[in-house]
Amino acid sequence: MQNMQPERRMSKQLRSNEMTRVRQTNTMCLFMVAYLLSYIDRQILALLIGPIQSDLLLSDTQFACLNGLAFSLLYAILGFPLASMSDRYPRPPIIVGGVILWSLATMACGLCNSFWSLFLCRVLVGLGEAALAPAVYSYIADTVPRERLAGTLAFFFLGSFLGSGCAFLFGGWLLAFVQQHHFMILHAWQICFMVVGLPGIFLGIIIALTVHEPSCRIVPTKPVTASVAISFFRNHSTFFSLHMFGYTLLAVTLFSLFSWMPAHMMRIHHMSHTELGLTLGVIVIVAGCGGAFTSGRLIDILTKRGIWYAPQLVASSAAFAASIPLVISVTTMNTHLAIISFSVAFFFASFPMPPSATVLQIAVPASMRARFSAAMLFCNAIGGLSGGSLLIGALNDHVFHSAASIGTSIALVAGTASILGGILLLLCIPSYRTLCNGQDRMERTSDMPALQEMA
């Protein structure tokens, strides 16, 4: 009987560990699906550019405002207070509130009949999505060991490419279906918004019922103030400036392809919405997911082999590799060559997403992770999504004065950004080593006293 007791305890512990792994897997799948739906709701606008511009009489610059500026306005600004809440309070309710808000706002886009009403709804979509990423990054960093962090974040980022791919793949089919059947008095693109926004309501309810704050989380009794976080940034300003500016430039590359490639393929290669949706949907899902997964795995493998600057090495190499096929894809008149080169460019352009988040979870103390993630998302939204998209639209409208010059505009903006971003990430490697050494010392003691001293 005495010999059986240790065996029972071991069996009970194994069952407990197995249940914990199952719960973690289920939670990560729900987070990934939330990211998937966020990108469907975000990217469906790019596919609907033709009918929206036709019905609302919008210029390329106005459409760029809807696709970039409107979304990123509150997404960037309110990301900071939402991230501060994620550093101090339970994160699942914050995530649930964001999912339901952006889903309702996407459905509201289907009721818009003017530029400004659509602009306002896109602002609310951005506000809802601002709650997701910083809270999820922080949640993952609290539950996953460092050697598996990049791979786990890469799994989460698959949602962005699956979502964008589904927006293209099924959005084109949905638009064609609605146009054929003439539902109610709404335009086809308005019904598309209502349909794609609905699943997020149900997902929010599921997350609220099944996802809970990890018991291992340690919340400081005295929250880290904004002045402490600013002091930490200033003490390592070289690293954070190069890191954030570098990844912002790479975000310009990725979001430029997301936002303007549909317009380029329709204007230059005369693809229908159905053909375009199928082509870009497959490319974004296969190449995007393949790139993000490969990036995360490479970083984990190189990190285990002692290459501490693996995130910068992987991201910068991919940035250089993406530039040439990107330029070819938007300048060639050969449709098959454009599709092939775009696939290669998009594969490498998706590499920077896992390392950009991984580095901050490693280098920044746990009590400030969400806020620094929000700062990174702020730069990506304002510079990458809004700035890059607006610059391409403005070049088209005010420099080249031709809708057919969209490829040249993309090549100038996205190609240049890719090369410059790769250079900046290589330059930040020395300062990254210094920051990580300091962070390791703080973790071996207690990071709170050291952080409060910096203020």
Side-chain angles (χ1 to χ4, degrees):
M1 292 292 295
Q2 291 180 349
N3 291 334
M4 292 178 64
Q5 293 299 323
E7 293 180 3
R8 288 177 180 174
R9 285 196 297 269
M10 185 176 296
S11 177
K12 185 176 180 180
Q13 182 64 38
L14 289 173
R15 287 196 300 270
S16 177
N17 292 340
E18 184 64 28
M19 290 177 63
T20 299
R21 283 194 292 269
V22 170
R23 282 195 296 267
Q24 288 178 343
T25 301
N26 290 340
T27 298
M28 281 307 306
C29 288
L30 288 173
F31 287 162
M32 191 268 282
V33 173
Y35 210 41
L36 182 155
L37 292 181
S38 77
Y39 264 77
I40 289 179
D41 294 354
R42 183 189 308 189
Q43 287 300 127
I44 191 69
L45 185 70
L47 184 67
L48 302 176
I49 179 174
I52 291 176
Q53 283 188 309
S54 175
D55 291 334
L56 301 184
L57 304 177
L58 304 180
S59 67
D60 278 354
T61 303
Q62 286 179 305
F63 183 81
C65 286
L66 291 174
N67 201 38
L69 181 62
F71 174 85
S72 62
L73 202 58
L74 290 187
Y75 179 87
I77 296 171
L78 292 187
F80 290 104
L82 289 170
S84 181
M85 291 172 60
S86 297
D87 282 332
R88 288 185 282 180
Y89 302 109
R91 291 157 290 196
I94 297 173
I95 294 170
V96 169
V99 172
I100 293 177
L101 175 59
W102 89 58
S103 300
L104 289 173
T106 299
M107 296 179 70
C109 288
L111 301 176
C112 297
N113 55 13
S114 68
F115 170 79
W116 287 111
S117 60
L118 189 54
F119 187 94
L120 176 60
C121 288
R122 289 289 291 176
V123 167
L124 293 177
V125 172
L127 172 59
E129 293 194 20
L132 179 65
V136 170
Y137 293 169
S138 177
Y139 190 102
I140 292 173
D142 281 345
T143 56
V144 176
R146 181 180 294 190
E147 62 272 13
R148 292 196 292 112
L149 183 58
T152 305
L153 284 169
F155 176 78
F156 173 66
F157 285 128
L158 293 183
S160 65
F161 299 106
L162 288 172
S164 298
C166 288
F168 291 135
L169 198 60
F170 300 111
W173 172 85
L174 177 62
L175 181 65
F177 178 82
V178 174
Q179 286 174 333
Q180 288 177 356
H181 291 81
H182 304 289
F183 289 90
M184 300 181 290
I185 59 173
L186 297 174
H187 295 293
W189 60 267
Q190 293 176 307
I191 297 176
C192 288
F193 277 120
M194 291 185 173
V195 172
V196 300
L198 184 60
I201 307 296
F202 299 105
L203 179 65
I205 295 172
I206 293 172
I207 294 175
L209 295 175
T210 60
V211 178
H212 308 286
E213 190 73 5
S215 57
C216 62
R217 185 186 189 189
I218 300 175
V219 179
T221 55
K222 184 178 180 182
V224 175
T225 62
S227 61
V228 175
I230 292 171
S231 294
F232 186 76
F233 180 93
R234 287 176 176 171
N235 289 343
H236 304 282
S237 58
T238 300
F239 165 75
F240 285 117
S241 298
L242 291 171
H243 175 87
M244 292 186 177
F245 191 30
Y247 279 110
T248 297
L249 288 170
L250 299 190
V252 168
T253 301
L254 183 61
F255 288 130
S256 294
L257 296 178
F258 268 135
S259 301
W260 286 106
M261 204 61 185
H264 172 75
M265 298 300 284
M266 285 188 287
R267 294 175 186 179
I268 305 304
H269 300 283
H270 309 292
M271 299 180 73
S272 68
H273 282 93
T274 304
E275 291 174 325
L276 178 67
L278 178 62
T279 302
L280 292 188
V282 171
I283 290 174
V284 169
I285 290 175
V286 176
C289 290
F293 178 79
T294 302
S295 174
R297 289 293 298 149
L298 277 176
I299 293 169
D300 283 345
I301 292 171
L302 294 175
T303 300
K304 289 177 182 177
R305 294 182 179 179
I307 301 177
W308 51 268
Y309 55 92
Q312 288 84 359
L313 180 63
V314 170
S316 58
S317 300
F320 297 137
S323 58
I324 295 177
L326 186 156
V327 173
I328 294 174
S329 69
V330 294
T331 54
T332 182
M333 298 301 294
N334 185 304
T335 302
H336 296 296
L337 179 59
I339 292 172
I340 293 172
S341 54
F342 173 65
S343 302
V344 176
F346 201 85
F347 174 77
F348 288 114
S350 66
F351 268 53
M353 292 190 76
S356 67
T358 300
V359 166
L360 292 182
Q361 308 315 305
I362 293 173
V364 178
S367 51
M368 298 187 293
R369 281 176 184 154
R371 273 173 282 188
F372 274 79
S373 296
M376 183 75 257
L377 292 171
F378 174 90
C379 295
N380 284 348
I382 295 298
L385 176 58
S386 180
S389 183
L390 273 173
L391 184 55
I392 290 173
L395 283 174
N396 233 36
D397 284 340
H398 305 297
V399 177
F400 299 114
H401 304 287
S402 170
S405 298
I406 185 68
T408 305
S409 301
I410 296 173
L412 287 173
V413 174
T416 303
S418 186
I419 295 173
L420 291 178
I423 293 172
L424 291 181
L425 292 184
L426 290 178
L427 293 176
C428 83
I429 290 177
S431 55
Y432 176 60
R433 179 63 178 269
T434 302
L435 176 55
C436 286
N437 287 341
Q439 173 63 5
D440 288 340
R441 284 195 299 272
M442 284 168 33
E443 287 178 352
R444 285 194 296 269
T445 55
S446 171
D447 69 347
M448 281 304 299
L451 288 173
Q452 298 295 350
E453 269 183 33
M454 287 192 297

